[in-house]
Amino acid sequence: MKKYAFLVYHKEYDAFLRKLRELGVVHIVEKEGVVTESIRQQFQLADQLDKAIRLLTGRVAETATPLQDADGEMLFDEVNDIQNQLSALVQQKAALRKETAEVTPWGDFSPEQLQLLADKNIRIRLFTCPVRIWNPEWTEKYYIFEINQLAGQVYFALADTGEGLPDIDADEVRMPTESIASLLKKAENLQQEEARLNARLDEIARTAVPALKQFKQQLIQDAEYDKAVVTTSREADENLMILEGWIPAEAGEVLNRFLDAEGVFYLSDSPTPGDQVPVLLKNKGFASKFEVLGELYSLPGYSELDLTPFFAPFYTIFFGFCLGDTGYGVLIALAALFAKRKVGKELKPIASLVAYLGLSTIVFGLISGTAFGINLYETNLPVYSQLQQMFKANNTDINNLLFVLALVLGGIQILFGMGIKAANEAIQFGFKYALGTIGWIVILLGVSIVMGISKLGGVPMVTIQPLLYAVLAIGGILVLFFNSPGKGILLNFGLGLWNSYNMVTGVLGDLLSYIRLFALGISSAILGFVFNSLALSLGGSVIGIFFMVIILVIGHGINIFMASLGSFVHPMRLTFVEFYKNAGFAGGGKKYKPFRKLI
């Protein structure tokens, strides 16, 4: 990145800003606390627009010819108004349902007829009482008329002629103000109004989303412009405008030509320690698809190594390990490839990422021998039969091997992370600052190799003990006496001991954390197997096959969703906690966002 400062005469500043926006390469340095309430409201409105657009996009499957010259602001106001009306309708319908439920036991009646009786001093009053208390003789002794019996209650009416209430054990209820016919009519009107509003929303969704998107881009563009204006410093009685920004070094020539052509005075310089330099990731191909995952945690600092290309292969492997079902992998990969052809440009990298994860799942499904919950090692497939016999001959099985593989992959990623940390320290501060980390790599890698030679090569440990001691001695010297260059030997030794305690306990915990790869793979395979067993137990009748298919579709659908969620989250945790920690990742970088024209 290169740092620029532009000095512009105030009368030419507006034109300069607009041309700078057309160029679209400068990340403007913002001053803290200068964003006005007006600018904040513009961004809030853009955010509300984004939510409205997502709501409308999800309403319809197909779009129609976009409206020409549609006013995005008016459409947004209309969408908001419709949503408010729909919310009000929901409340009205709930109140109407409650009122209808209260009136229903009394049947349909005419309030006008009741008023005519009241005019003749005959007041109709309503009562309820439990069935066990109800006495049918009341209808013979008094002007009482049974109307309904429902849910253990008797609903009856009393014609009050002014002679006083009879001595009956019942509760009087309020006379409904409307008949059930009137309430049902109101409900029908509300339903029609709701249908009308939803139809209008669907019409807007089919024809006006482009106009809304354009309005949103306009809002953001105006807000960014206003932000650039308020963050400008004013000197010489506000006659001189000073703006600072960052650009990628490779864009310097283009910017310099523009500034020279405009006659703008400017200063450019390289970043200095303490500068808040924005970060522009430059990954390509496979690794670029994983930038979205890295940004969920944090961008690297400007002088830090971008870890995206280093964690991308591990994340892909770990996802496949956790899900580990060939059938699920095929479905995920096909769905992602299909979606990639349908979604917009901005979502295609996500679809590619999911396709990679699906392919990894296929590979690990083949290794673990699982397809839609079926254990392939228990089938008569030639390859898996031979492998199963080989495992039995060696007194092991695929699960034991997968358990070991999870720990081996974890160890590789931890050591790989330490290697990156050493390289990062050497690049940023000098090679001597990486010696402590290199010492740990020598110890961990050396001990692993020696143990491997002894275990797998059949070499007695006594024979290779000198090699082990040499590894420990070299690594120990680096860890204990070269961990903090520039400090005394005693301080180095003390810090080395403290770091050794943290490292030993931390690495062991980190390594054990990778067991989750094996555990998640096993759990999804078992759940798939359970659904298969449940479905097959229903028998071979037509009804049995019908429910078998339902159980298989729903069961495996649930398993794919749950297992995919776990396979997405847990490798991410291994990346952001175990790998980033051992790689010495600090993060905190700010994304490079050029000031540019959006529409």
Side-chain angles (χ1 to χ4, degrees):
M1 285 284 171
K2 299 285 287 184
K3 180 167 57 178
Y4 274 73
F6 313 104
L7 288 79
V8 186
Y9 184 53
H10 72 101
K11 290 185 177 178
E12 300 169 353
Y13 192 61
D14 182 66
F16 166 73
L17 267 187
R18 294 185 186 283
K19 290 178 179 175
L20 194 66
R21 186 173 65 183
E22 294 275 355
L23 198 61
V25 295
V26 178
H27 175 106
I28 293 175
V29 176
E30 297 174 13
K31 295 177 182 175
E32 291 186 7
V34 299
V35 176
T36 63
E37 184 60 27
S38 169
I39 296 174
R40 193 170 292 111
Q41 287 177 356
Q42 283 177 283
F43 281 117
Q44 287 175 350
L45 187 57
D47 186 54
Q48 292 170 9
L49 253 170
D50 187 60
K51 291 176 181 174
I53 290 169
R54 279 188 275 127
L55 170 76
L56 292 170
T57 306
R59 289 185 66 92
V60 292
E62 295 181 357
T63 57
T65 304
L67 291 173
Q68 297 298 320
D69 301 325
D71 188 323
E73 185 172 5
M74 287 182 63
L75 285 167
F76 179 56
D77 289 341
E78 185 179 358
V79 170
N80 273 339
D81 184 52
I82 291 175
Q83 286 183 296
N84 291 334
Q85 289 185 57
L86 285 172
S87 297
L89 280 177
V90 169
Q91 296 178 1
Q92 290 176 38
K93 286 171 69 178
L96 201 57
R97 278 196 298 272
K98 183 180 178 183
E99 193 173 352
T100 303
E102 292 175 354
V103 175
T104 298
W106 302 106
D108 199 12
F109 60 89
S110 168
E112 292 77 13
Q113 293 295 328
L114 294 179
Q115 184 59 45
L116 288 175
L117 290 173
D119 293 341
K120 295 179 180 179
N121 296 323
I122 300 175
R123 182 185 172 200
I124 301 300
R125 302 172 70 171
L126 303 179
F127 293 84
T128 66
C129 72
V131 173
R132 57 184 171 75
I133 296 176
W134 167 251
N135 186 352
E137 293 180 356
W138 292 349
T139 58
E140 300 172 3
K141 292 181 179 179
Y142 315 111
Y143 297 118
I144 287 178
F145 308 93
E146 181 181 344
I147 296 176
N148 202 353
Q149 288 195 18
L150 193 68
Q153 291 284 319
V154 178
Y155 297 81
F156 60 93
L158 168 69
D160 183 2
T161 56
E163 296 176 355
L165 288 176
D167 185 18
I168 58 175
D169 186 8
D171 298 322
E172 183 172 6
V173 299
R174 180 181 62 85
M175 173 65 72
T177 55
E178 293 188 74
S179 67
I180 191 166
S182 172
L183 293 174
L184 291 176
K185 182 62 180 174
K186 278 188 174 181
E188 183 183 347
N189 292 339
L190 291 180
Q191 199 74 29
Q192 290 174 354
E193 179 64 6
E194 186 178 46
R196 186 188 69 78
L197 293 173
N198 279 316
R200 177 55 184 155
L201 273 185
D202 289 343
E203 184 184 350
I204 293 174
R206 280 192 294 271
T207 60
V209 167
L212 290 170
K213 286 181 177 177
Q214 188 174 15
F215 178 45
K216 174 192 152 190
Q217 296 290 72
Q218 184 67 54
L219 275 174
I220 295 174
Q221 181 173 286
D222 293 346
E224 292 290 351
Y225 183 87
D226 292 344
K227 200 163 64 171
V229 171
V230 298
T231 202
T232 303
S233 298
R234 292 164 172 75
E235 301 294 341
D237 294 333
E238 299 194 353
N239 288 319
L240 189 61
M241 317 298 275
I242 302 175
L243 185 68
E244 293 179 312
W246 296 93
I247 67 161
E250 59 270 22
E253 190 178 340
V254 175
L255 180 62
N256 290 344
R257 278 203 304 269
F258 161 74
L259 295 171
D260 292 339
E262 292 295 320
V264 174
F265 180 77
Y266 64 93
L267 299 171
S268 66
D269 201 357
S270 298
T272 55
D275 281 340
Q276 296 294 317
V277 188
V279 176
L280 173 63
L281 301 182
K282 297 179 178 178
N283 296 295
K284 295 180 180 176
F286 173 76
S288 66
K289 311 298 185 297
F290 291 80
E291 287 181 356
V292 65
L293 295 182
E295 290 177 17
L296 290 176
Y297 182 75
S298 174
L299 286 172
Y302 177 68
S303 57
E304 260 190 310
L305 204 60
D306 175 19
L307 297 186
T308 306
F310 302 110
F311 79 70
F314 284 102
Y315 188 89
T316 308
I317 292 171
F318 292 168
F319 183 94
F321 203 140
C322 289
L323 194 49
D325 188 295
T326 304
Y328 295 173
V330 169
L331 292 181
I332 291 172
L334 289 177
L337 292 174
F338 177 76
K340 190 176 178 181
R341 301 179 60 180
K342 296 291 183 183
V343 298
K345 183 180 176 182
E346 66 280 4
L347 291 178
K348 288 189 184 296
I350 303 288
S352 296
L353 170 63
V354 177
Y356 290 139
L357 300 180
L359 292 175
S360 174
T361 305
I362 294 172
V363 172
F364 270 89
L366 292 172
I367 294 173
S368 64
T370 306
F372 292 112
I374 300 170
N375 188 349
L376 300 179
Y377 286 95
E378 295 180 354
T379 63
N380 294 321
L381 292 173
V383 175
Y384 288 100
S385 297
Q386 294 170 9
L387 286 173
Q388 185 75 327
Q389 291 174 6
M390 187 178 71
F391 293 153
K392 285 183 179 177
N394 290 282
N395 196 27
T396 186
D397 59 28
I398 185 62
N399 289 333
N400 286 333
L401 296 176
L402 289 174
F403 181 83
V404 174
L405 180 60
L407 292 176
V408 170
L409 286 173
I412 291 173
Q413 193 182 36
I414 289 172
L415 282 171
F416 186 62
M418 287 182 176
I420 291 172
K421 181 181 180 183
N424 221 356
E425 289 170 336
I427 293 170
Q428 290 188 59
F429 312 113
F431 181 72
K432 61 183 179 181
Y433 286 88
L435 290 175
T437 305
I438 292 173
W440 278 113
I441 296 173
V442 170
I443 292 174
L444 294 174
L445 189 59
V447 170
S448 300
I449 293 173
V450 170
M451 298 292 287
I453 292 172
S454 176
K455 181 79 175 173
L456 301 177
V459 180
M461 183 57 79
V462 178
T463 306
I464 54 175
Q465 265 184 352
L467 179 60
L468 179 63
Y469 292 151
V471 166
L472 292 175
I474 295 171
I477 290 171
L478 293 175
V479 168
L480 294 175
F481 299 104
F482 292 90
N483 60 77
S484 301
K487 295 179 180 175
I489 189 169
L490 291 178
L491 186 57
N492 260 282
F493 184 70
L495 290 172
L497 286 178
W498 175 247
N499 290 339
S500 299
Y501 168 75
N502 291 327
M503 180 61 77
V504 170
T505 54
V507 167
L508 183 62
D510 292 345
L511 188 61
L512 294 177
S513 190
Y514 286 84
I515 294 175
R516 73 186 63 218
L517 299 175
F518 166 75
L520 284 167
I522 285 290
S523 62
S524 64
I526 291 175
L527 198 55
F529 173 78
V530 169
F531 284 122
N532 288 343
S533 301
L534 186 62
L536 293 175
S537 67
L538 295 177
S541 65
V542 175
I543 296 176
I545 292 173
F546 174 74
F547 283 105
M548 180 181 72
V549 172
I550 289 177
I551 290 174
L552 288 175
V553 172
I554 295 177
H556 283 289
I558 292 171
N559 198 23
I560 289 175
F561 173 73
M562 297 296 292
S564 298
L565 190 61
S567 303
F568 175 75
V569 171
H570 286 278
M572 197 176 289
R573 179 239 149 83
L574 293 174
T575 300
F576 295 154
V577 179
E578 279 76 11
F579 179 61
Y580 272 23
K581 183 184 72 176
N582 287 294
F585 181 80
K590 188 173 184 179
K591 190 171 185 176
Y592 166 73
K593 290 183 178 177
F595 177 58
R596 62 181 178 179
K597 193 173 177 61
L598 299 177
I599 59 174

